[in-house]
Amino acid sequence: MKKIIALFAIWLAGVAPISAEEVVKSPGPEDEQAVISATKEYVAALDASKYDESWAQFAPEIQKTMIKFTYTSGLKLMRTGLGDIKMRKPYGLSFIKDLKNAPPGSYAAYFLDSEFQRVSGQEKVILMKSQGKWMIAGYFFEKSVRFDQKAK
């Protein structure tokens, strides 16, 4: 299942991982709040299994690179493996200019520590400024590995 989640996350995003030289200064508090609001709306749709609704939140530039059926069915498979959300806590927000292997534009990455029914990990939601507003460009989930501290 871990391989499926990792491969799906890479495909789903359609963009390369963020490298340090691409991170730029925040454009301002209005953009920060818009990114946070768009992310909350997106993950709420995912948590409610509203995958068609989550698809509608993607930037048109990104939708052109994906097939809706593949996105929704793959996301459903991944989220079923995670179980219901128990806790989600934001831990970072970065703005990126001209993300590699993606349409030109301004991007943001919002990072969340998340605990689901069956697994814990980190969610990364990538957003793109499109048509004057922040829209979804990708979704990653990376499973956390926990080790027992007891010596045997």
Side-chain angles (χ1 to χ4, degrees):
M1 181 66 167
K2 184 176 179 180
K3 282 186 181 180
I4 291 173
I5 291 172
L7 290 173
F8 182 69
I10 291 167
W11 167 82
L12 178 60
V15 293
I18 302 166
S19 62
E21 66 270 12
E22 297 166 334
V23 175
V24 296
K25 183 180 173 190
S26 168
E30 297 85 15
D31 282 295
E32 290 176 9
Q33 191 55 49
V35 165
I36 292 167
S37 294
T39 299
K40 286 181 179 180
E41 185 178 331
Y42 177 72
V43 296
L46 297 182
D47 294 344
S49 301
K50 295 181 178 178
Y51 305 119
D52 286 336
E53 185 179 307
S54 73
W55 169 263
Q57 296 175 35
F58 269 80
E61 298 89 338
I62 303 301
Q63 285 180 340
K64 291 176 188 175
T65 68
M66 299 187 294
I67 299 168
K68 181 180 178 182
F69 174 77
T70 306
Y71 164 80
T72 55
S73 59
L75 192 55
K76 181 179 180 180
L77 175 67
M78 181 180 80
R79 295 291 294 209
T80 299
L82 299 176
D84 294 333
I85 187 71
K86 293 171 68 178
M87 181 278 305
R88 182 178 281 126
K89 179 180 168 187
Y91 72 90
L93 171 61
S94 297
F95 288 88
I96 306 102
K97 184 71 177 163
D98 291 327
L99 196 59
K100 292 178 187 174
N101 300 322
S106 297
Y107 291 85
Y110 195 53
F111 304 93
L112 305 154
D113 272 327
S114 305
E115 184 179 336
F116 292 89
Q117 183 180 4
R118 295 182 190 92
V119 68
S120 295
Q122 291 74 42
E123 293 173 287
K124 176 170 57 174
V125 180
I126 307 295
L127 298 96
M128 175 185 194
K129 191 134 191 194
S130 176
Q131 302 173 349
K133 63 181 184 174
W134 289 99
M135 301 179 81
I136 304 303
Y139 175 77
F140 293 85
F141 179 80
E142 185 175 329
K143 181 179 170 180
S144 293
V145 178
R146 296 187 184 146
F147 297 96
D148 189 1
Q149 299 295 326
K150 296 179 185 176
K152 293 188 177 191

